[in-house]
Amino acid sequence: MRELHYGGGTLVVGREVCTAVFDYALALARIGRSDLITVPILVNGQIDESNILLGPTTQIYCTPATQTAEGLDDSAKIAELRERIASLHRPITAVSGDATVYPDFELEY
């Protein structure tokens, strides 16, 4: 369990979720983009969700949590964050090989 410090507040998250959030925040910062994610958190002993806006200037850090709970390291959520990271590195491909489909595209030499 980790306490994710974000925007002047603290969210209690699972260790693996915290790692995935940090990895995604770093990937977004490297390309200057933002995204909204939802992660499982612990609130008053119950699992809930929180939205987090990540971007190039997001300032987050983690510390050990004093609370514990099962189920915060949601494998589906971790996989989703890892997929988002991977999608940032995929090349963009043209839908058509016909240059007339893209009339506004100008190739500079």
Side-chain angles (χ1 to χ4, degrees):
M1 306 285 300
R2 305 293 287 168
E3 289 184 355
L4 176 64
H5 301 268
Y6 169 83
T10 302
L11 304 170
V12 177
V13 298
R15 180 177 292 277
E16 296 302 317
V17 166
C18 188
T19 299
V21 168
F22 268 78
D23 291 347
Y24 191 38
L26 180 59
L28 288 167
R30 285 182 173 158
I31 62 170
R33 289 184 47 197
S34 300
D35 197 7
L36 179 66
I37 62 171
T38 302
V39 295
I41 63 168
L42 187 64
V43 179
N44 298 324
Q46 301 294 316
I47 295 178
D48 204 341
E49 292 185 332
S50 179
N51 296 322
I52 302 173
L53 178 62
L54 298 176
T57 61
T58 298
Q59 296 180 2
I60 57 177
Y61 67 96
C62 277
T63 57
T66 57
Q67 305 174 57
T68 61
E70 296 293 321
L72 281 179
D73 276 324
D74 180 342
S75 60
K77 182 54 64 178
I78 294 165
E80 176 191 331
L81 291 171
R82 297 283 174 215
E83 175 59 29
R84 288 184 186 203
I85 293 167
S87 72
L88 296 176
H89 304 292
R90 290 192 188 120
I92 299 172
T93 56
V95 177
S96 172
D98 181 3
T100 61
V101 174
Y102 308 103
D104 296 330
F105 181 75
E106 293 181 18
L107 186 60
E108 294 182 20
Y109 293 94

